[in-house]
Amino acid sequence: MIQAILVFNNHGKPRLVRFYQRFPEEIQQQIVRETFHLVLKRDDNICNFLEGGSLIGGSDYKLIYRHYATLYFVFCVDSSESELGILDLIQVHLPVVFFTAPKVFVETLDKCFENVCELDLIFHMDKVHYILQEVVMGGMVLETNMNEIVAQIEAQNRLEKSEGGLSAAPARAVSAVKNINLPEIPRNINIGDLNIKVPNLSQFV
Amino acid sequence: MALKMVKGSIDRMFDKNLQDLVRGIRNHKEDEAKYISQCIDEIKQELKQDNIAVKANAVCKLTYLQMLGYDISWAAFNIIEVMSASKFTFKRIGYLAASQSFHEGTDVIMLTTNQIRKDLSSPSQYDTGVALTGLSCFVTPDLARDLANDIMTLMSHTKPYIRKKAVLIMYKVFLKYPESLRPAFPRLKEKLEDPDPGVQSAAVNVICELARRNPKNYLSLAPLFFKLMTSSTNNWVLIKIIKLFGALTPLEPRLGKKLIEPLTNLIHSVGAGRGAERAVFAVLISLSSGMPNHSASIQVRPARAGASPPLKYLGLLAMSKILKTHPKSVQSHKDLILQCLDDKDESIRLRALDLLYGMVSKKNLMEIVKKLMTHVDKAEGTTYRDELLTKIIDICSQSNYQYITNFEWYISILVELTRLEGTRHGHLIAAQMLDVAIRVKAIRKFAVSQMSSLLDSAHLLASSTQRNGICEVLYAAAWICGEFSEHLQEPHHTLEAMLRPKVTTLPGHIQAVYVQNVVKLYASILQQKEQAGEAEGAQAVTQLMVDRLPQFVQSADLEVQERASCILQLVKHIQKLQAKDVPVAEEVSALFAGELNPVAPKAQKKVPVPEGLDLDAWINEPLSDSESEDERPRAVFHEEEQRRPKHRPSEADEEELARRREARKQEQANNPFYIKSSPSPQKRYQDTPGVEHIPVVQIDLSVPLKVPGLPMSDQYVKLEEERRHQQKLEKDKRRKKRKEKEKKGKRRHGSLPTESDEDIAPAQQVDIVTEEMPENALPSDEDDKDPNDPYRALDIDLDKPLADSEKLPIQKHRNAETSKSPEKEDVPVAEKKSKKPKKKEKKHKEKGRDKEKKKEKEKKAADLDFWLSTTPPPAPAPAPVPSTEEAGVNPVTASKDECEDTKTEAQGEEDGAEGQEQDKKSPKPRKKKHKKEKEERTKGKKSKKQPPGSEEAAGEAAREPVQNGAPEEEPLPPESSYSLLAENSYIKMTCDVRGSLQEDSQVTVAIVLENRSNSVLKGMELSVLDSLNARMARPQGSSVHDGVPVPFQLPPGVSNEAQFVFTIQSVVTAQKLKGTLSFIAKNDEGATQEKLDFRLHFSCSSYLVTTPCYSDAFAKLLESGDLSMSSVKVDGIQLSFQNLLAKICFHHHFSVVERVDSCASMYSRSIQGHHVCLLVKKGENSVSVDGKCSDPTLLSNLLEEMKATLAKC
């Protein structure tokens, strides 16, 4: 079982925190911090296995991590999932196409966000979660085939679009307006002006 | 209303969405907390609105804040609202928030049950998917119980996307609601063969996870996984399966053998190419499987030598696995492993340490520990240093100090370890010191001298603040010096050291030990002084005590204070006596008389409860309420008064004390509840030689060592080497002498093989006193299990058939899945209420079920046995006579009972063939798969049978008529074995005759009709020409010449079974009945009337019903004398006796009563109640069968049939 999946940046800011075992929020943050410090002091060229983060569990658990650009992807797994890391490793050395959860996760992110960068994760945490849900479910690896994962995610995105989405065009427009930083303007608009737009708005309700 | 909506929309427009929130937080770096609390207020406002979109947006933002560490449990109800939105977009947000924040303590979680159930049955697969994903994160026992059945239904959903999620989530459900495991397991097993690879991998994943914790329950799945392993192309699944086998092999050693070949193939096929790649894969496999085969272990070294750090790590990991099985091959890599200790990567160093633990021997212990000690000095970072320390102690103390040859060396190592600063493991060192000093008697003197110098050196006291710090060692030092004070060189000096004012800065519990042991020391000093006649010296010591003890009396620690003041008074009293010149030493020493024996930590638990003692029973009946209240206190008071005088004379004279001690000893000896494995030798008062009772490990003697000054462990290493060298030389000499005597010509010099461990004699005579255990302690390992382990609940026997009570609770009235599920027999999902069987019926049923359970279990075992047996399986029990003329009957009824007694391979064969299909119990689907599976299996069998040198099997295979379809291989339930009846281009008939005990003189003929053409067969009728002896049971009103219609039609390629009942007049002779099957074949071109003739054969064996018989009943039967006897002998039998018996059991429905060497008695009964007893004896190449039966004709016919069967062996 995978106990937790953490993504944080080079400064230890959490970008994704997914625990498959209940910890109170403070403890979660503490674990993130501790893991960050453990990972940070390791060179990039030493092995990406780490034993015994004290908070998350006993000797049965390992941390398997990868460092991509500004982000650390950390999987905390017990011995039954240690293959995750092993396979990961093999992929580096073998031409044989092996699956690895961290890698598939990152590559799927890459595909869905088109060249994923930290900013994507920052602003679309919910989407990252939805992608992760197609790879790992309840702490167990759900799907190993990337095409399948991407297909399912796209299908769900289409479904969301057909429903109008949560933050479709107008909301974006508004946030654009807000970015111009003209707090007065919206208040000055009288109802009469807005009435023109109302029919459009109703579809987002 | 419209206006409200408009207003909502406008509000909505100015809400922040997630992106805005993130942006805002990034823009408020200085006052982030303030900004967020402002946002949370906004969110609270948003949550109050009716608009679900607004709510969803708010919940989405909350999820983000949760990640930042903010508690959002207050919004749980709003999250549920969003979860129940109809739009997927909102639903998904709701479930995400729930999965992040809900847990078992969330009280509103029970409100979700119906919502989740609704979503699970939603027509949109993504609604269902989102619900499953969410549920997987917050499933509680209640949810698991309520939803288990719904999820099970989803396991057969049409969409693989849902199926795989449903399969995976079952594991979570099992964890929370273990009762669901058994009902769900058949379907889970089925999913292993799902056409969708995703579903398959999910099922493998779940079963592997289950099997990791309780492997033995999944042993029966081994054949299935084996098949998957050889056929799967998904590497992920492959690794999982290999890992699963790794868990299974320890339970079933034969499995390992079977796996070697496919694993080697895997290594070669996957890693074909460069050597390093193969090595990696070999490592991987040996790692996962835990059973390194030869090639794997060879490959490991290159992998480890390879410089890449992750590879090194894996190599070490693999080595630790190999170490368990092939310690030799790892020990040759000692150099490499020691090198790894210098690696800059901590993970690698820790792994290497782990490996060292397993590698030590008597020979290299000192060397390895020395190496480790240098690392301890070098190590930076306390974690690693602490790890080193514990490892050193672990390595040395493992298996009862097995590898330590010189305990002085060990003590000095421990002393050296105390010089570590800032370690957390002071108590560990202390425990070791105590343990060694108590258990190794010979070392006490040395230990005491070391400990006194420890007490003396104050450097330890400097950093004494830390709990569990190194000052813990003083605890041990003080105790050892006190307890074994007779060994002290300068007791007075030590006493002073222990009474220094600095001691009061130590932690309380250590001070308490100091106080106690100061008195012990004092007692022994008094003793010495008095014996030497130095009265003044004795008084001086007393004075010292009186002066120094008050510092402890003032201690803040209660324990210290109490002990100190008590002892101070005692010493003052002694001082008074000394002033009067009264000798006191004797009495003071008496305080500490007696020796402590080490008691095993588990000893108390292991005391068996004596027979007849019920610990839960009341000793006295609890007082009833009616009893008058005032009586009780009086009774208590009365008792107290009686008791008190007994306790008073605490300062009774010595004789009295001794007498009482004796009495108590007696009492204890007679008291079964007292742990008394060896009587503790009371030093002074009894000289009872109890010491012999202490189990002692004797290690032979050699030159004792004396190391002057404070010994360094290195010196020991040198000395030890010298010593060993000497020993070796001596031995060499001896050997040479001997050799010279024996063989003058051949002399081997110098090139002696390396010393084995046993050659190394320990440096001192040490008695390692084993820890005491109570007499007749229960040898149980159960206490190793943690009762709180959540996986323990999943330790469930999955082979037992389901009981009614085990069905999953369901809410709905109808259950769509019942009709589909092929294992519906196993999963009774009907409503409980609808079933109200009368009690009698129920009882009866249960009985039957019990029986079934038993049978099933045995069958499984046999399956596995068969599958695992590497020897070519004996002839797979061919039909009695496979040719058409005799093919009428292959009577195999209830063959399971025999396997109870014999469990032979042949039996296993039968069951094995069928076992794989046995989960598909319902007849219809089974029949459909019939043909395909049969073919597959025959293929499989063939290949299995081919191992060279198995003439027997090969011959058997050749003899088997292929078109016969090898009836015994048919995947049918174990109680049947079908033989070919007749066949043509349209149809194939196979049949089986079963006798039944219930209905006298009746046999049931089950005929399987298989359509081989591409036309539909209908209007089938079976007509049989009755004989005088056998009559077919026909529907009422039909004449003897009418046929009996077959109650079904057969579409192309389908088979089905029809049953016909025959009444038999006399069972003593075999007989054949002629019959015809007529049918209409209809296809596109038209319909034709066809028929097929057959001959139904009733052998005498088919009238027998397997009946178990006990040997005493059997003996009575033989004695009764009303049985006639006959015998038969068959020559040229190569078959093993075991298989032979199995054959007789299987084909002739006998059960083994008793078996002694190559002789067995067997029993069976006919449907008309004839007893048949057999005595089977196997000679060199022949078998003789003596039979006794109440009917001579039956017996002779039976023996003839048996002869025919045996002749084929």
Side-chain angles (χ1 to χ4, degrees), chain B residues 41 93 137 202 412 510 522 529 669 735 783 788 802 855:
Chain B
D41 285 342
I93 291 171
C137 295
S412 55
I510 297 179
Y522 167 68
K529 300 269 180 201
R735 206 171 296 173
D783 32 22
N788 297 325
L802 282 174
K855 286 176 182 173

Side-chain angles (χ1 to χ4, degrees), chain B residues 860-1044:
Chain B
K860 285 234 163 144
D863 286 353
L864 202 66
D865 275 352
F866 156 66
W867 182 75
L868 287 167
S869 59
T870 40
T871 49
V881 191
S883 57
T884 352
E885 39 160 15
E886 278 189 282
V889 183
N890 178 18
V892 182
T893 24
S895 58
K896 286 176 295 184
D897 279 313
E898 304 117 6
C899 95
E900 199 171 308
D901 304 276
T902 54
K903 270 198 191 161
T904 59
E905 285 179 322
Q907 184 67 40
E909 164 87 44
E910 297 296 333
D911 289 336
E914 291 145 7
Q916 294 174 350
E917 263 66 42
Q918 62 180 36
D919 46 322
K920 295 157 192 140
K921 287 255 166 73
S922 113
K924 279 177 193 172
R926 182 189 66 213
K927 293 288 140 57
K928 277 184 194 166
K929 287 177 186 166
H930 217 203
K931 205 173 177 184
K932 245 196 252 164
E933 277 162 2
K934 198 164 56 193
E935 277 165 12
E936 267 179 32
R937 187 151 322 89
T938 3
K939 264 188 229 159
K941 274 243 162 110
K942 289 270 155 60
S943 59
K944 258 187 228 161
K945 271 183 211 148
Q946 293 311 337
S950 62
E951 305 160 73
E952 208 178 277
E956 203 59 58
R959 216 177 302 146
E960 244 171 43
V962 177
Q963 84 288 357
N964 181 318
E968 65 290 341
E969 288 182 357
E970 287 186 350
L972 291 167
E975 61 266 36
S976 60
S977 167
Y978 287 67
S979 63
L980 185 71
L981 196 56
E983 61 181 333
N984 62 12
S985 58
Y986 286 103
I987 197 165
K988 181 175 153 189
M989 302 169 73
T990 46
C991 85
D992 171 34
V993 183
R994 301 162 195 166
S996 69
L997 266 183
Q998 275 89 10
E999 286 150 277
D1000 256 352
S1001 317
Q1002 280 197 349
V1003 287
T1004 308
V1005 179
I1007 299 180
V1008 175
L1009 300 162
E1010 187 190 339
N1011 188 350
R1012 311 170 120 189
S1013 65
N1014 45 15
S1015 16
V1016 177
L1017 304 184
K1018 56 183 196 176
M1020 286 182 280
E1021 259 190 15
L1022 194 81
S1023 41
V1024 177
L1025 221 55
D1026 286 0
S1027 71
L1028 281 177
N1029 199 15
R1031 227 159 17 84
M1032 189 177 184
R1034 297 184 168 83
Q1036 277 195 338
S1038 51
S1039 80
V1040 191
H1041 303 288
D1042 288 347
V1044 176

Side-chain angles (χ1 to χ4, degrees), chain B residues 378-531:
Chain B
K378 277 192 290 180
E380 80 272 7
T382 45
T383 7
Y384 179 59
R385 207 167 53 182
D386 281 352
E387 188 64 28
L388 270 173
L389 192 150
T390 42
K391 265 283 135 37
I392 290 175
I393 290 181
D394 276 357
I395 286 174
C396 293
S397 63
Q398 65 175 310
S399 31
N400 208 8
Y401 307 103
Q402 184 189 345
Y403 299 118
I404 295 185
T405 48
N406 186 337
F407 276 92
E408 285 186 17
W409 164 81
Y410 185 46
I411 293 273
S412 55
I413 284 284
L414 287 175
V415 171
E416 268 174 55
L417 283 176
T418 62
R419 286 176 209 145
L420 279 183
E421 259 171 58
T423 177
R424 288 180 293 117
H425 294 299
H427 64 284
L428 231 139
I429 304 175
Q432 282 295 304
M433 287 173 170
L434 286 173
D435 200 36
V436 172
I438 294 171
R439 292 173 58 187
V440 186
K441 285 187 178 165
I443 202 70
R444 280 180 193 164
K445 195 169 160 79
F446 179 77
V448 164
S449 72
Q450 290 292 301
M451 293 304 120
S452 67
S453 64
L454 255 188
L455 286 176
D456 204 23
S457 55
H459 70 273
L460 287 169
L461 307 183
S463 62
S464 62
T465 42
Q466 203 188 346
R467 175 123 187 105
N468 277 340
I470 205 66
C471 61
E472 287 290 321
V473 173
L474 292 178
Y475 179 98
W479 191 87
I480 291 171
C481 285
E483 185 66 24
F484 308 117
S485 47
E486 69 268 20
H487 297 298
L488 269 179
Q489 300 279 335
E490 296 170 335
H492 194 83
H493 187 70
T494 311
L495 184 71
E496 264 180 66
M498 285 173 83
L499 287 170
R500 278 183 203 143
K502 248 194 179 169
V503 172
T504 49
T505 59
L506 287 172
H509 66 286
I510 297 179
Q511 283 186 55
V513 171
Y514 263 68
V515 172
Q516 195 74 13
N517 286 287
V518 158
V519 192
K520 290 185 198 168
L521 211 52
Y522 167 68
S524 79
I525 293 174
L526 271 188
Q527 181 89 8
Q528 274 178 21
K529 300 269 180 201
E530 278 191 14
Q531 274 167 7

Side-chain angles (χ1 to χ4, degrees), chain B residues 110-154:
Chain B
M110 62 202 185
L111 300 177
T112 59
T113 316
N114 280 319
Q115 179 57 41
I116 294 173
R117 177 173 293 131
K118 208 177 111 199
D119 287 336
L120 289 183
S121 53
S122 155
S124 158
Q125 61 165 330
Y126 291 111
D127 282 356
T128 314
V130 148
L132 282 174
T133 310
L135 185 62
S136 71
C137 295
F138 58 77
V139 61
T140 62
D142 284 344
L143 281 177
R145 191 193 60 231
D146 295 340
L147 296 171
N149 199 55
D150 300 74
I151 297 170
M152 246 179 65
T153 317
L154 290 179

Side-chain angles (χ1 to χ4, degrees), chain B residues 112-304:
Chain B
T112 59
T113 316
N114 280 319
Q115 179 57 41
I116 294 173
R117 177 173 293 131
K118 208 177 111 199
D119 287 336
L120 289 183
S121 53
S122 155
S124 158
Q125 61 165 330
Y126 291 111
D127 282 356
T128 314
V130 148
L132 282 174
T133 310
L135 185 62
S136 71
C137 295
F138 58 77
V139 61
T140 62
D142 284 344
L143 281 177
R145 191 193 60 231
D146 295 340
L147 296 171
N149 199 55
D150 300 74
I151 297 170
M152 246 179 65
T153 317
L154 290 179
M155 281 166 80
S156 0
H157 199 272
T158 48
K159 295 265 188 349
Y161 179 71
I162 299 301
R163 281 210 302 273
K164 70 181 178 196
K165 287 196 169 194
V167 168
L168 215 52
I169 202 180
M170 277 320 275
Y171 178 64
K172 291 278 181 168
V173 173
F174 295 152
L175 278 184
K176 299 288 176 188
Y177 179 55
E179 290 87 338
S180 62
L181 176 56
R182 281 175 29 72
F185 193 69
R187 189 166 302 182
L188 188 59
K189 212 159 79 175
E190 198 179 65
K191 292 295 149 207
L192 284 175
E193 293 174 300
D194 196 278
D196 184 83
V199 182
Q200 207 181 42
S201 106
V204 169
N205 207 342
V206 170
I207 293 189
C208 288
E209 201 66 47
L210 288 170
R212 197 164 68 97
R213 306 292 180 166
N214 304 300
K216 66 172 190 308
N217 296 336
Y218 301 88
L219 209 51
S220 62
L221 288 181
L224 189 56
F225 275 107
F226 194 79
K227 206 174 101 196
L228 274 180
M229 185 173 81
T230 44
S231 64
S232 174
T233 51
N234 183 339
N235 284 312
W236 173 253
V237 172
L238 212 59
I239 297 295
K240 281 271 168 203
I241 295 176
I242 294 173
K243 196 140 197 174
L244 173 78
F245 277 128
L248 292 182
T249 31
L251 301 171
E252 181 50 87
R254 282 177 289 174
L255 197 57
K257 252 191 236 160
K258 207 169 171 80
L259 286 172
I260 287 178
E261 198 192 316
L263 284 185
T264 319
N265 287 344
L266 265 180
I267 292 176
H268 287 281
S269 66
V270 175
R274 286 173 295 158
E277 291 164 6
R278 190 182 296 175
V280 175
F281 203 74
V283 170
L284 171 60
I285 285 182
S286 61
L287 201 60
S288 317
S289 61
M291 39 173 176
N293 55 47
H294 192 55
S295 77
S297 52
I298 293 173
Q299 308 270 6
V300 169
R301 188 174 168 110
R304 290 218 13 268

Side-chain angles (χ1 to χ4, degrees), chain A residues 17-18 29 45 49 51 62 79-80 83 89 94 123 129 134 138 143 152 156 160 163 166 174, chain B residues 12-13 19 67 88-89 92 99-100 126 161 164 172 212 239 243 277 284 309-310 313 345 347:
Chain A
V17 177
R18 171 79 270 193
Q29 294 299 311
N45 61 352
F49 302 90
E51 280 170 52
K62 282 192 183 70
S79 62
S80 79
E83 297 85 2
L89 176 92
L94 283 187
F123 285 106
H129 266 294
E134 297 302 322
E143 183 54 74
Q152 296 295 351
Q156 291 181 41
E160 186 174 304
E163 286 179 348
L166 177 69
V174 171
Chain B
R12 164 94 184 75
M13 278 182 66
Q19 281 75 32
M67 180 184 80
F88 170 74
T89 316
R92 185 154 76 154
S99 72
Q100 288 286 59
Y126 291 111
Y161 179 71
K164 70 181 178 196
K172 291 278 181 168
R212 197 164 68 97
I239 297 295
K243 196 140 197 174
E277 291 164 6
L284 171 60
Y313 178 83
D345 187 347
S347 299

